[in-house]
Amino acid sequence: MSLDSVKYVYFLGIGGIGMSALARWFGVNGYPVAGYDRTPTPLTEALQQEGMVIHFDEDVEKIPAAFRQNPAETLVIYTPAVPKTHKEYIYLTENGFTLQKRSQVLGLLAGQMKTVGVAGTHGKTTTSSMVAHILRHAGVNCAAFLGGITQNYGTNFLLNEPAEDLSSVVCVVEADEFDRSFLTLYPHLAIVTSTDADHLDIYGDRNALLDSFGAYVNQIKPEGVLFQKKGLGLAGQTKAESREFALEEGDYYSRNLRIDDACFVFDLMYPQGVISDIRLTVPGFHNVENAIAASAVALELGVAPAAIRDALNSYRGVKRRFEYHLKSEKVVFIDDYAHHPTEIQAFLSSVKALYPNRELTAIFQPHLFSRTRDFAEGFAESLSLADHVILLDIYPARELPMEGVTSDIIFRNVYSKSKRQCTKDELLAVLRESPTELVVTIGAGDIDQMLEGIKGQLLTNE
């Protein structure tokens, strides 16, 4: 189905971060947009305020009549998280509608522009938002489809300026390995930040995941460039030129890295020179590395070194990525989306480096039964970097419970100074009895819905 024949766009799972960005693109470009999601969220409320018709029950009758009456002109975009038994999915598949995954449609849109694809099991949301911010700050005409809400722009979607030739527009895309979605993209420039084992419910084992990343980099335009984390070994799987980045080595790396007033300050070394005194207000060793990768792409696109430094100095991050909610002499409260042992290790190490003299209390909500099962020991090891650990129940997301898989398989191997297990309902009471001078919340589930309550409790504890 070509976009020329599309008159209406319907989303099954419109509230997802990636789906909502796509919905916004169609909405901004004049298409009537409607959709279903399981539960209302601030994101679905924002889409409704932008004029989209959204409902939260499996009810075919709530699909707008104009959409139902015109299957040949209605494009249905769905997320793989929607089960095949969903009543609306069944209706749409049986009544002549064209259904496409978000990744297929994103690939179609991005293919009209000069695409920068940012992939990796960790770091892709922050890195892609950094690339987009640098380009926007430098005046480059760009669009961006991101996996998180940027603090600079308050959205996960940046619209490009009108252009007669779309191939002159840069399109920054967070290239998601989940369900092999990134294989719909054929980027001109690509970043791969990491290939750690994840989504084993989809891939089965890490080798299958690595094969998928190999297939992705093989789709980079032959005249393009792959920027990969040093040591990933993907150069032999692409016809494009390959360059490496890392924190302290590679073609692009940092020098004179230091912490100053809760900022990470560094010089960025690149083949043609140095960008001195970048001051990253979104802290973390991992975020320095993300900034290096983003800068490498910006340099390749012709952005001036001084403009890159100015953009990174003004970069404010992505919601739920090292996001401060309290910061005072008595209490610091940071929230992060980390949901894999490697991400948690990077996050907690950075927090401890920033605040070496404070007792660190980490509240973690595991995400997915399968991920908990596959990485239980890794979760316990990384969480043990905290002085005190509070472990919540597993957030199931798209999964049904698995026999013998609970947060206890993590808890029993945590060796922090103290550890507690509790439900979300019990959390605030537990916090009243816990050290709270430095508190972090971690997880990709619905723990973010508790942030205001936690903030209030920490203020009360002061």
Side-chain angles (χ1 to χ4, degrees):
M1 189 177 197
S2 72
L3 291 182
D4 294 337
S5 63
V6 174
K7 188 173 180 180
Y8 307 100
V9 186
Y10 187 72
F11 285 80
L12 273 176
I14 195 169
I17 194 73
M19 292 280 276
S20 64
L22 208 52
R24 283 189 161 118
W25 186 91
F26 281 104
V28 165
N29 283 281
Y31 293 84
V33 176
Y36 156 87
D37 212 287
R38 187 170 58 178
T39 55
T41 65
L43 197 47
T44 58
E45 290 173 12
L47 297 178
Q48 287 172 313
Q49 290 171 5
E50 293 169 24
M52 301 179 201
V53 178
I54 302 175
H55 62 274
F56 305 96
D57 305 309
E58 288 187 41
D59 188 348
V60 170
E61 293 300 316
K62 290 187 177 179
I63 301 174
F67 292 53
R68 283 184 280 122
Q69 293 164 7
N70 293 282
E73 297 176 314
T74 300
L75 171 62
V76 178
I77 305 173
Y78 73 99
T79 170
V82 172
K84 300 298 186 288
T85 55
H86 192 282
K87 293 176 184 177
E88 294 183 25
Y89 180 88
I90 294 170
Y91 167 81
L92 293 164
T93 53
E94 291 180 350
N95 284 275
F97 289 83
T98 297
L99 279 76
Q100 293 193 342
K101 293 180 182 179
R102 168 190 171 270
S103 57
Q104 293 173 292
V105 179
L106 186 55
L108 183 65
L109 297 181
Q112 302 176 74
M113 297 175 265
K114 185 170 186 175
T115 305
V116 176
V118 183
T121 46
H122 325 298
K124 55 184 174 287
T125 298
T126 297
T127 306
S128 57
S129 71
M130 284 178 168
V131 174
H133 178 62
I134 293 170
L135 298 181
R136 180 60 61 93
H137 189 275
V140 176
N141 191 5
C142 69
F145 295 89
L146 308 171
I149 304 296
T150 62
Q151 300 283 22
N152 288 85
Y153 307 102
T155 180
N156 56 338
F157 165 61
L158 299 183
L159 180 66
N160 58 282
E161 295 296 324
E164 289 187 12
D165 180 11
L166 277 177
S167 65
S168 67
V169 177
V170 178
C171 183
V172 182
V173 180
E174 181 171 329
D176 193 356
E177 76 281 359
F178 174 72
D179 199 37
R180 299 175 173 84
S181 294
F182 57 2
L183 297 185
T184 64
L185 298 172
Y186 293 81
H188 297 78
L189 304 176
I191 294 172
V192 179
T193 62
S194 51
T195 57
D196 291 333
D198 199 6
H199 300 304
L200 299 186
D201 55 323
I202 299 294
Y203 287 99
D205 58 40
R206 184 164 184 251
N207 287 334
L209 176 73
L210 292 175
D211 289 343
S212 193
F213 273 98
Y216 170 67
V217 301
N218 187 52
Q219 294 180 177
I220 302 169
K221 304 287 187 183
E223 68 276 15
V225 183
L226 165 64
F227 299 88
Q228 63 170 320
K229 169 78 175 289
K230 186 172 178 61
L232 294 186
L234 295 169
Q237 300 184 63
T238 179
K239 296 182 178 66
E241 181 183 350
S242 179
R243 302 177 199 163
E244 293 186 318
F245 66 89
L247 192 65
E248 297 178 329
E249 56 183 342
D251 301 301
Y252 307 82
Y253 61 96
S254 69
R255 190 177 66 182
N256 298 328
L257 175 60
R258 65 259 188 213
I259 296 172
D260 179 29
D261 193 24
C263 295
F264 279 61
V265 185
F266 63 99
D267 302 333
L268 192 154
M269 311 302 296
Y270 65 100
Q272 290 77 38
V274 56
I275 306 176
S276 300
D277 294 322
I278 294 171
R279 191 175 185 86
L280 202 60
T281 59
V282 177
F285 298 107
H286 55 302
N287 284 327
V288 172
E289 201 165 70
N290 294 336
I292 292 167
S295 300
V297 163
L299 287 165
E300 183 67 20
L301 289 170
V303 178
I308 292 173
R309 179 180 57 239
D310 291 346
L312 288 175
N313 288 354
S314 67
Y315 175 75
R316 291 167 48 201
V318 180
K319 287 192 72 64
R320 300 222 60 224
R321 270 72 172 184
F322 220 112
E323 183 179 9
Y324 280 91
H325 288 266
L326 284 173
K327 191 177 183 181
S328 70
E329 290 185 7
K330 291 186 177 180
V331 60
V332 172
F333 172 31
I334 307 169
D335 176 54
D336 197 88
Y337 189 73
H339 54 282
H340 184 282
T342 302
E343 295 170 340
I344 294 171
Q345 191 275 335
F347 172 60
L348 293 181
S349 296
S350 297
V351 173
K352 288 174 72 70
L354 282 170
Y355 302 101
N357 300 317
R358 297 196 183 209
E359 293 265 300
L360 171 58
T361 299
I363 305 166
F364 177 52
Q365 181 190 48
H367 183 260
L368 295 178
F369 292 103
S370 59
R371 185 180 281 126
T372 302
R373 175 200 63 201
D374 294 336
F375 302 114
E377 290 185 9
F379 280 125
E381 184 75 20
S382 58
L383 287 169
S384 296
L385 288 171
D387 300 290
H388 312 279
V389 172
I390 301 172
L391 192 59
L392 302 180
D393 295 333
I394 297 170
Y395 181 79
R398 58 186 178 270
E399 293 183 336
L400 295 173
M402 296 180 177
E403 186 176 352
V405 179
T406 68
S407 59
D408 188 61
I409 66 174
I410 298 172
F411 183 80
R412 61 191 179 216
N413 291 315
V414 171
Y415 53 85
S416 297
K417 186 182 300 184
S418 73
K419 58 182 181 178
R420 293 279 300 270
Q421 277 182 289
C422 69
T423 66
K424 287 191 300 180
D425 291 340
E426 297 166 336
L427 176 58
L428 298 185
V430 170
L431 270 180
R432 282 196 291 271
E433 305 166 3
S434 304
T436 54
E437 60 178 356
L438 175 60
V439 176
V440 298
T441 44
I442 314 169
D446 62 356
I447 193 171
D448 60 313
Q449 296 179 16
M450 299 196 66
L451 298 181
E452 283 304 310
I454 293 170
K455 180 178 177 179
Q457 183 61 57
L458 296 180
L459 290 171
T460 301
N461 285 9
E462 276 196 83

